Amino acid sequence: MARRFFGTDGIRGRTNDGVMTAAMAMKVGQAAGTHFLRGGHRHRVVIGKDTRLSGYMMESALVAGFTSVGMDVVMTGPLPTPAIALLTREMRADLGVMISASHNPFEDNGIKLFGPDGFKLSDEAELAIERLLEDDPPLVDAARIGRARRIDDARGRYIHAVKQSVSSDIRFDGLKVVVDCAHGAAYQVAPAAIWELGAEVIAMGVEPNGTNINREVGSTALAAICTRVVQESADIGIALDGDADRLIVIDEQGQPVDGDQIMALIATRLNARGALRGGGVVATVMSNLGLERYLETQGLTLERTKVGDRYVLERMKAGGYNVGGEQSGHMILLDHGTTGDGTLAAMRVLASLVRSGKRASEVLHVFDAVPQLLKNVHYSGNDPLRDEAVKACIAEAERELAGSGRLVIRASGTEPVIRVMAEGDDAAQVERVVDRICDAVARAA
């Protein structure tokens, strides 16, 4: 059964349009609440959000939905997505909800759901909730309607948890760190956690106004932090996205370091201590071939999944891995958390910098990436990947790259976009292949 509402990372869309309305949010609360009403205990859901203006509306609608089917609600206010996963498990809640569209602009919003174990829901659970969305919810009688309350110590709980991921003998004294929070969910907690371990913190992207989340700041708009790191003569820069589940690092020269390099660093450090589980790393089909080649030199493997940190996580759990992520910056460290956590991964990077005593540019560039090019083609009609001319163009490109590179073509799970990625040892060849496919897709779009 195809999913109608859930994409690769929950339900997402433009606010007050399509699936992302207050009415729909209330129905999601009722359906998800009904699905997780199991056992005779008093049921509880934890709801967090990022800093989007529409978060107030979506939060209120979700509260109405959950309480109407008999669930109590705990609201945390703005917190990173991984904090909600953590609190769901810590508070013995039946369900966790994060209201966020991650790195998307403020006009969008989304609903991410976590089970009582703090992990994102399986495809089967999401399908079950979708089926419930088609029916009228079983509302409880007046005496059993849920209660809602806000908690004041949620930020402190999360800060404590990410600090615990760093060995007690490590302090960040002497490090000057630029922290870009994208005017998003981590605007209070990320700078505080890094400062509390001794670093001098220069915070940016920490003045949310409801409409500036991810705007020219954060992990998907790196120009500002790259410039700031150099201007401040900082040792390193930390760039998070709107809900702080992804991380891009900037070295002292102002050069970005993506998720592939971060995974390589963390895996190498853990492997040297005998603490890397699974014999390698889990990443998606988008990770650079250079990462795969580097891991092979270390006697490690790269397990690839389709795009989406949920699929990375599923493979990690099935194979016993403790390090995984995406080139885009999602870092999943199962020794410390249940989902991608940019702040937690930043703490691990900073600890590695301290232990090495070297500059960030020496520590963070672990392997040589092969030339890789990704382009997006928007479409408004039918799926261009079904077009015979597009199929033929892709087949020709695969033959051309055989043995020297890779080709990944996919439809986005969150927007009407075809993503065309190629990589290989010959940069000119990679560019030709990508442009040729993009042209074919554009003609069919």
Side-chain angles (χ1 to χ4, degrees):
M1 176 180 173
R3 295 183 294 180
R4 290 184 54 204
F5 304 108
F6 286 91
T8 55
D9 197 12
I11 302 172
R12 189 179 299 185
R14 190 176 179 88
T15 307
N16 272 351
D17 186 23
V19 299
M20 203 45 54
T21 64
M24 183 64 180
M26 186 173 73
K27 290 190 67 175
V28 170
Q30 291 171 328
T34 299
H35 180 72
F36 281 93
L37 285 173
R38 305 165 183 171
H41 62 280
R42 190 73 187 179
H43 292 80
R44 175 183 295 163
V45 56
V46 177
I47 299 180
K49 60 183 180 180
D50 63 22
T51 57
R52 292 163 211 271
L53 179 63
S54 58
Y56 295 98
M57 177 184 76
M58 304 302 288
E59 179 185 60
S60 297
L62 282 162
V63 169
F66 282 116
T67 54
S68 72
V69 296
M71 267 201 168
D72 290 340
V73 176
V74 174
M75 294 170 285
T76 70
L79 271 184
T81 289
I84 302 308
L86 169 76
L87 289 169
T88 298
R89 191 169 52 171
E90 275 199 353
M91 298 184 71
R92 310 297 192 269
D94 301 274
L95 181 64
V97 180
M98 180 65 183
I99 305 167
S100 175
S102 191
H103 58 280
N104 287 27
F106 91 93
E107 294 92 345
D108 295 343
N109 216 329
I111 300 171
K112 304 181 184 184
L113 302 177
F114 295 93
D117 56 2
F119 289 101
K120 290 181 179 178
L121 301 189
S122 65
D123 288 344
E124 292 74 22
E126 290 182 347
L127 283 170
I129 291 170
E130 286 205 352
R131 286 191 291 268
L132 289 170
L133 285 169
E134 304 292 339
D135 302 324
D136 292 331
L139 304 180
V140 298
D141 60 55
R144 294 170 53 216
I145 290 174
R147 300 175 183 271
R149 59 174 292 188
R150 294 191 179 273
I151 57 172
D152 298 324
D153 63 343
R155 289 196 300 270
R157 293 190 193 196
Y158 177 66
I159 290 171
H160 176 73
V162 295
K163 286 166 52 185
Q164 289 296 104
S165 70
V166 177
S167 175
S168 60
D169 65 325
I170 290 290
R171 290 186 56 86
F172 299 158
D173 299 70
L175 285 183
K176 181 186 282 191
V177 185
V178 177
V179 182
D180 182 351
C181 299
H183 299 306
Y187 78 100
Q188 294 174 311
V189 293
I194 295 170
W195 174 81
E196 287 185 17
L197 287 185
E200 177 185 350
V201 173
I202 300 163
M204 56 183 290
V206 290
E207 298 176 350
N209 62 15
T211 63
N212 62 356
I213 188 170
N214 298 313
R215 187 194 299 161
E216 299 179 355
V217 285
S219 63
T220 53
L222 296 171
I225 186 172
C226 289
T227 299
R228 190 72 179 272
V229 167
V230 174
Q231 287 177 341
E232 300 284 354
S233 298
D235 296 292
I236 194 170
I238 301 298
L240 306 171
D241 68 335
D243 69 335
D245 66 351
R246 66 168 69 182
L247 165 72
I248 298 294
V249 177
I250 314 301
D251 70 20
E252 83 284 356
Q253 298 174 3
Q255 296 300 309
V257 179
D258 67 16
D260 286 345
Q261 297 282 2
I262 297 169
M263 280 188 284
L265 172 65
I266 293 174
T268 300
R269 296 278 174 172
L270 287 175
N271 190 49
R273 303 203 312 264
L276 183 69
R277 300 201 309 271
V281 169
V282 180
T284 76
V285 293
M286 304 302 287
S287 278
N288 194 275
L289 183 60
L291 172 61
E292 187 171 349
R293 291 173 175 174
Y294 166 75
L295 290 173
E296 287 176 355
T297 68
Q298 305 300 305
L300 303 173
T301 62
L302 178 65
E303 291 289 320
R304 293 186 184 270
T305 73
K306 55 185 179 178
V307 173
D309 63 327
R310 60 182 292 154
Y311 303 114
V312 172
L313 180 57
E314 287 173 3
R315 183 73 61 85
M316 290 176 68
K317 291 168 68 177
Y321 296 87
N322 59 344
V323 176
E326 295 187 279
Q327 185 186 69
S328 60
H330 286 113
M331 294 293 113
I332 305 175
L333 307 177
L334 281 184
D335 290 339
H336 305 289
T338 58
T339 190
D341 191 333
T343 308
L344 189 151
M347 303 296 265
R348 305 301 311 150
V349 170
L350 292 172
S352 294
L353 198 60
V354 170
R355 286 194 186 280
S356 72
K358 299 178 180 179
R359 294 177 300 175
S361 58
E362 299 173 284
V363 173
L364 295 169
H365 298 279
V366 181
F367 65 89
D368 293 327
V370 304
Q372 184 183 79
L373 181 61
L374 169 66
K375 290 189 176 181
N376 297 326
V377 183
H378 289 264
Y379 66 95
S380 57
N382 295 326
D383 182 359
L385 297 183
R386 296 179 180 273
D387 184 86
E388 291 303 321
V390 173
K391 291 179 181 179
C393 185
I394 292 173
E396 180 184 351
E398 288 175 336
R399 288 191 294 271
E400 185 175 340
L401 288 171
S404 63
R406 293 191 312 124
L407 181 66
V408 179
I409 316 291
R410 69 180 187 91
S412 168
T414 58
E415 54 187 329
V417 166
I418 301 298
R419 306 197 193 282
V420 181
M421 188 277 280
E423 62 179 355
D425 296 315
D426 185 339
Q429 180 188 47
V430 166
E431 185 173 3
R432 287 196 307 270
V433 164
V434 169
D435 286 344
R436 200 162 63 233
I437 296 173
C438 286
D439 289 343
V441 171
R443 287 194 297 269

